[in-house]
Amino acid sequence: QVQLVESGGGLVQAGVSLRLSCAASGRTSRTYAMGWFRQAPGKEREFVAAWSIRQTYYADSVKGRFTITRDNAKNTVYLQMNSLKPEDTAAYYCAAAQDDCVGFPCYVGATEYNYWGQGTQVTVSS
């Protein structure tokens, strides 16, 4: 089992930056990838970014603005979000994948992840 706890969300104005954190505990040694997804009211959960042992992936909507990094010593993954827009408003979820992916792209689908956090709300006002 892996437990994930997100933090760092909040209410901000458009154009500013925010950093989300996701602390993992439990059987993290078997984690191949960590990802961030988001879900806005009335919309489906969508992929945002993923960190894997081989590569990072980003949704086109956040590419160039968001950066995903992982601190192995702290078992924590971060999502640095710059130039935030109102359309970035959503609940952001951290996820962990414990299966290897040999295709391309990898870890962009929710079904590839085994564990999920409870989410942290990000609200961007215009």
Side-chain angles (χ1 to χ4, degrees):
Q1 292 285 336
V2 174
Q3 294 78 42
L4 304 171
V5 179
E6 302 99 332
S7 61
L11 171 62
V12 297
Q13 289 189 328
V16 304
S17 299
L18 205 59
R19 190 178 77 160
L20 304 182
S21 300
C22 174
S25 60
R27 302 187 66 177
T28 59
S29 61
R30 299 181 60 182
T31 298
Y32 281 90
M34 300 286 291
W36 287 97
F37 288 73
R38 66 187 181 187
Q39 188 167 17
K43 295 187 177 181
E44 294 186 354
R45 189 169 297 191
E46 65 173 1
F47 169 75
V48 175
W51 175 95
S52 77
I53 57 177
R54 299 185 183 93
Q55 194 169 345
T56 56
Y57 302 89
Y58 296 95
D60 288 342
S61 59
V62 306
K63 201 171 294 182
R65 298 189 298 124
F66 291 10
T67 303
I68 187 170
T69 56
R70 181 176 178 180
D71 185 329
N72 290 328
K74 295 182 178 180
N75 278 327
T76 299
V77 66
Y78 302 97
L79 185 67
Q80 178 68 41
M81 305 185 294
N82 298 330
S83 302
L84 282 164
K85 304 175 181 179
E87 49 263 45
D88 295 319
T89 295
Y92 282 72
Y93 297 90
C94 175
Q98 299 207 319
D99 298 310
D100 195 9
C101 173
V102 296
F104 182 86
C106 287
Y107 305 115
V108 298
T111 56
E112 297 178 82
Y113 292 85
N114 308 97
Y115 300 98
W116 292 83
Q118 294 299 307
T120 185
Q121 180 67 34
V122 173
T123 303
V124 184
S125 63
S126 58

